[in-house]
Amino acid sequence: MASAVFVLDVKGKILISRNYRGDIPMTAIEKFMPLLLAAEEEDNATPILTTHGVHYLYIRHNNLYLLAITKKNANAATILLFLHRLVKVLTEYFKTLEEESIRDNFVIIYELLDEMMDFGYPQTTETKILKEYITQESHKLESEVKVPKAATNAVSWRSDGIKYRKNEVFLDVVELVNLLVNTNGNVLQSEVLGALKVRCFLSGMPELKLGLNDKAMFGLTGRSSNKAVELEDVKFHQCVRLSKFETDRTISFIPPDGEFELMSYRLNAQVKPLIWCETIIERHTGSRIEYVVKAKAQFKRRSSANNVEIIVPVPADADSPKFKTTIGSVSYAPEKSAFVWKIKQFQGGRDFVLRAQFGLPSVKTEEVDKKRPISIKFEIPYFTTSGIQVRYLKVVEKSGYQAMPWVRYITQNGEYHLRMPDLAPTPANR
């Protein structure tokens, strides 16, 4: 439990505060910045700082510190999660959360702080529910406004009485591939960050059950499967019944209305580059530089990558670009000191070549330019790097209506970088 919550600027000045329990003097906040600065000087800054029996738990967002203080042996993860939820709610209310938006919205922020926490205990943190009775148009609750039952229900993330003519639920399995490859083609870093994103248009109070090809689930049932996936760092939306998941690995939940992220996961497995580039660079001292880029789609032929962008860095003083390619379009982006090769659809197993030439009006070292990697953007529909599959998605509601579940798979680039090779020797006769 938190005794008080503060929002501070970067210098430690209080912008807004709420004292929930009154068991700690508000002057205790004056010790926070000296504690933080001392910890940073010792390179020992942590999200929890303690002095004289008072615990300071904080997060930083933009130019703000969001801070909770307590004397109790409280659950630190719960308090830090509440601060992150507070950031999310305020961001969804004001679009951007910064010092100016705090100063412009004191009244509504105090109302939100009162609804989101009671006597130091977190309460409603769902923006959709809060927006039903705390609005930006009218900061004060009118007497005829009724607080939604969801605010006091066990299911605080969903209101009663939701109705749709057509009951549908859309599930997107979205995976981002983070990759760093060195100049020799060896993968230095790779991971897959996945998320199950739901758009729910269902009437009443439905219960959904979702099954994945989860390796732990197959282990519980005594079955084995070569297609089973071992998920790491799994995080669920609060609507998921965790006890049910722990016992039989079934993801059972009553969903919020509209869009939300049901779960996220991470895989640290070695990932083969989905789109690979071989690059040869020849620099002719004081005159020009030439690039030959061969791009190859290293995934199955039945899949295609859409809206591919290969961003190749060039020296900052390069000019007079000339391009020749077997597919797509190429443009020079001087503001990025790079050229961009765009391929609308890149089928698996195919490879294409681009040739580029630039003039170099000045003579300077190439060391800085060599350190900038090639960046690649892409989206591959109907494909996941991890191999995760939705085995079933069932919708049950007491009225017995039929619902249409839709499932889609998408793989996208995250931080996807290929380091540039060394320069090829300049031909002697040029």
Side-chain angles (χ1 to χ4, degrees), residues 215-337:
K215 192 171 184 178
M217 185 277 295
F218 282 104
L220 285 172
T221 58
R223 293 181 293 161
S224 61
S225 172
N226 293 331
K227 295 183 178 181
V229 176
E230 188 170 1
L231 304 177
E232 303 171 35
D233 291 346
V234 178
K235 297 176 184 176
F236 289 111
H237 187 278
Q238 62 174 323
C239 67
V240 174
R241 293 189 174 92
L242 295 180
S243 58
K244 184 76 172 169
F245 181 75
E246 291 296 331
T247 54
D248 61 11
R249 306 295 284 190
T250 298
I251 301 172
S252 177
F253 58 100
I254 296 173
D257 188 44
E259 297 185 18
F260 68 100
E261 184 172 290
L262 177 65
M263 67 173 278
S264 62
Y265 59 90
R266 181 178 60 85
L267 292 176
N268 257 334
Q270 190 81 354
V271 177
K272 180 182 179 182
L274 297 172
I275 295 178
W276 173 250
C277 286
E278 295 178 12
T279 309
I280 299 173
I281 308 171
E282 290 184 358
R283 181 165 184 160
H284 307 272
T285 305
S287 59
R288 69 185 188 279
I289 187 168
E290 295 180 352
Y291 296 80
V292 178
V293 182
K294 182 179 179 182
K296 184 176 182 180
Q298 299 188 137
F299 46 86
K300 295 180 180 178
R301 290 184 177 274
R302 65 171 179 264
S303 297
S304 292
N306 296 333
N307 303 315
V308 176
E309 290 188 15
I310 300 172
I311 303 164
V312 182
V314 299
D317 61 342
D319 63 11
S320 306
K322 295 179 182 178
F323 303 113
K324 185 177 181 181
T325 178
T326 54
I327 192 174
S329 63
V330 193
S331 60
Y332 178 38
E335 71 282 1
K336 298 179 182 177
S337 295

Side-chain angles (χ1 to χ4, degrees), residues 1 6 69 76 111 114 140 154 170 174 220 255 275 314 367 379 416 426 428:
M1 68 183 75
F6 299 83
I69 61 174
E111 287 187 11
D114 284 341
K140 296 292 184 182
F170 299 86
V174 181
L220 285 172
I275 295 178
V314 299
E367 290 302 315
E379 182 176 278
Y416 194 103
T426 304

Side-chain angles (χ1 to χ4, degrees), residues 12-193:
K13 183 180 178 181
I14 299 173
L15 300 176
I16 201 164
S17 64
R18 182 67 174 88
N19 190 349
Y20 291 103
R21 300 179 63 83
D23 58 346
I24 299 177
M26 296 296 276
T27 53
I29 192 62
E30 296 171 5
K31 298 179 181 178
F32 170 66
M33 286 307 291
L35 271 176
L36 179 61
L37 292 173
E40 288 179 345
E41 283 179 7
E42 297 174 6
D43 200 21
N44 191 32
T46 63
I48 305 171
L49 303 171
T50 302
T51 184
H52 297 97
V54 178
H55 308 292
Y56 298 82
L57 299 92
Y58 72 96
I59 61 173
R60 181 166 179 174
H61 179 80
N62 292 337
N63 58 348
L64 303 172
Y65 288 103
L66 289 90
L67 168 71
I69 61 174
T70 180
K71 274 187 175 179
K72 305 290 184 182
N73 184 19
N75 186 322
T78 299
I79 294 177
L80 291 170
L81 179 59
F82 172 81
L83 295 177
H84 282 287
R85 291 293 304 176
L86 179 59
V87 168
K88 186 172 186 286
V89 168
L90 296 180
T91 302
E92 290 182 359
Y93 263 87
F94 312 131
K95 306 304 179 189
T96 57
L97 179 57
E98 54 192 15
E99 186 174 337
E100 187 177 350
S101 60
I102 294 288
R103 294 186 186 280
D104 290 344
N105 295 279
F106 278 131
V107 174
I108 195 169
I109 292 172
Y110 275 116
E111 287 187 11
L112 288 167
L113 288 172
D114 284 341
E115 291 299 330
M116 294 178 68
M117 183 170 276
D118 182 27
F119 199 57
Y121 293 95
Q123 302 295 313
T124 304
T125 60
E126 280 293 321
T127 312
K128 289 177 183 176
I129 302 301
L130 290 165
K131 281 189 173 181
E132 290 188 30
Y133 58 103
I134 298 180
T135 67
Q136 288 169 276
E137 291 76 23
S138 175
H139 292 175
K140 296 292 184 182
L141 282 174
E142 301 294 339
S143 58
E144 67 270 14
V145 175
K146 294 183 180 180
V147 176
K149 290 183 180 179
T152 53
N153 273 353
V155 185
S156 62
W157 53 87
R158 186 179 179 90
S159 300
D160 287 329
I162 296 173
K163 291 184 180 179
Y164 287 99
R165 290 181 60 186
K166 188 176 182 180
N167 291 287
E168 296 179 303
V169 57
F170 299 86
L171 174 63
D172 284 346
V173 181
V174 181
E175 291 190 344
L176 300 180
V177 179
N178 291 336
L179 190 75
L180 177 61
V181 180
N182 69 8
T183 56
N184 297 323
N186 298 321
V187 176
L188 300 179
Q189 298 174 9
S190 67
E191 66 175 356
V192 177
L193 302 178

